[in-house]
Amino acid sequence: PVYNPKLSFFSEALESAKNQSSPNYEILVGFDGLHSQEYYDLVESKNLNLFNKNAIKYFTFERSEESMGISATTNKLAAMAEGDWFVLFDHDDWIRPDLLYRYEQTLWLFNNDKRIVLYCNEYKIDEDSNFIPGSILEKPLKPEFPFLFTNWVCHCLAIPKELWKSIGGLRSEYDGAQDFDLVLRLDLAGAKFYNVPLLMYAWRAHAKSTASI
């Protein structure tokens, strides 16, 4: 979902998604509300450089100033996705080029068990994409105390489509904490959480991000 990020942040996020080493994925971009033409032009420019990879699919869901919210926009994108797993990625962050490949390897080890939910270790970057010292978050292999009382997963969540559908996706009434609500309901639905213990997600800290808290 995209909701008025700084254009340079969005460009870096999109580029990192486009540069994944795995060929087996699609990129879905949902613009929540009106955006200036430069955002749509940016997506088109990235499409021109995709070569043999699948084109980036992008949609504008509301031609008005009013936002639907992150949950509603994500749910609409999920309904359009063709793959068997969803990977949730914020519009101003960055992922390592081998993230999807490492996830594919891990799912293969689990025989593509449709109850496996993956996440990875992460760190924070500043507005200039520089590493923030002391920000590395190495997560538990599986949910355990005291992480059960916080969103121990956070980024970068990969969810089986059927499991996502069974719980009804995200809930708009929890926007702002929708990811934690999602994780709790996935747990209740029998998800098997597994951490891919590599630093593959960069969470950008800036004035409009909770990473700055």
Side-chain angles (χ1 to χ4, degrees):
V2 178
Y3 183 67
N4 292 317
K6 187 176 178 180
L7 190 65
S8 61
F9 297 166
F10 178 48
S11 178
E12 289 185 31
L14 201 55
E15 189 72 14
S16 72
K18 181 177 76 73
N19 288 336
Q20 291 297 297
S21 58
S22 170
N24 303 313
Y25 71 101
E26 61 180 349
I27 302 172
L28 298 180
V29 177
F31 289 101
D32 183 11
L34 284 176
H35 289 69
S36 61
Q37 187 59 42
E38 58 188 348
Y39 286 88
Y40 309 113
D41 292 344
L42 175 64
V43 176
E44 289 294 348
S45 70
K46 300 296 183 186
N47 266 334
L48 292 175
N49 297 316
L50 277 175
F51 298 107
N52 62 333
K53 289 190 176 181
N54 292 331
I56 302 170
K57 302 174 183 177
Y58 67 99
F59 310 90
T60 299
F61 294 121
E62 293 293 330
R63 283 290 183 183
S64 70
E65 296 295 333
E66 188 172 341
S67 165
M68 290 193 303
I70 188 171
S71 293
T73 305
T74 303
N75 289 340
K76 282 182 174 288
L77 287 173
M80 299 173 180
E82 298 179 5
D84 294 324
W85 261 267
F86 302 140
V87 178
L88 304 181
F89 178 38
D90 290 348
H91 62 191
D92 50 9
D93 294 338
W94 181 90
I95 51 177
R96 214 168 76 177
D98 61 338
L99 182 143
L100 292 182
Y101 174 69
R102 299 299 182 187
Y103 276 15
E104 286 180 341
Q105 286 182 314
T106 304
L107 291 173
W108 180 81
L109 291 173
F110 285 105
N111 295 314
N112 288 313
D113 187 336
K114 295 302 174 61
R115 291 172 295 173
I116 293 292
V117 174
L118 300 179
Y119 55 103
C120 65
N121 294 337
E122 63 187 85
Y123 58 96
K124 293 180 182 179
I125 55 176
D126 62 21
E127 295 193 21
D128 296 317
S129 300
N130 297 314
F131 168 71
I132 298 177
S135 68
I136 291 176
L137 178 58
E138 294 182 332
K139 305 169 188 177
L141 189 64
K142 296 179 181 179
E144 60 184 24
F145 183 86
F147 290 90
L148 293 174
F149 299 98
T150 63
N151 184 6
W152 71 92
V153 173
C154 205
H155 307 110
C156 178
L157 203 62
I159 309 164
K161 177 188 286 188
E162 293 306 315
L163 191 56
W164 170 278
K165 290 169 66 176
S166 74
I167 65 169
L170 295 175
R171 299 193 289 192
S172 293
E173 59 267 36
Y174 291 96
D175 275 1
Q178 75 286 339
D179 46 359
F180 192 21
D181 173 64
L182 174 67
V183 165
L184 293 175
R185 288 185 292 119
L186 286 169
D187 188 42
L188 288 174
K192 298 179 180 179
F193 292 92
Y194 186 83
N195 177 30
V196 181
L198 297 170
L199 280 171
M200 297 192 291
Y201 194 98
W203 190 14
R204 191 182 301 276
H206 57 88
K208 296 182 179 180
S209 171
T210 55
S212 299
I213 297 175

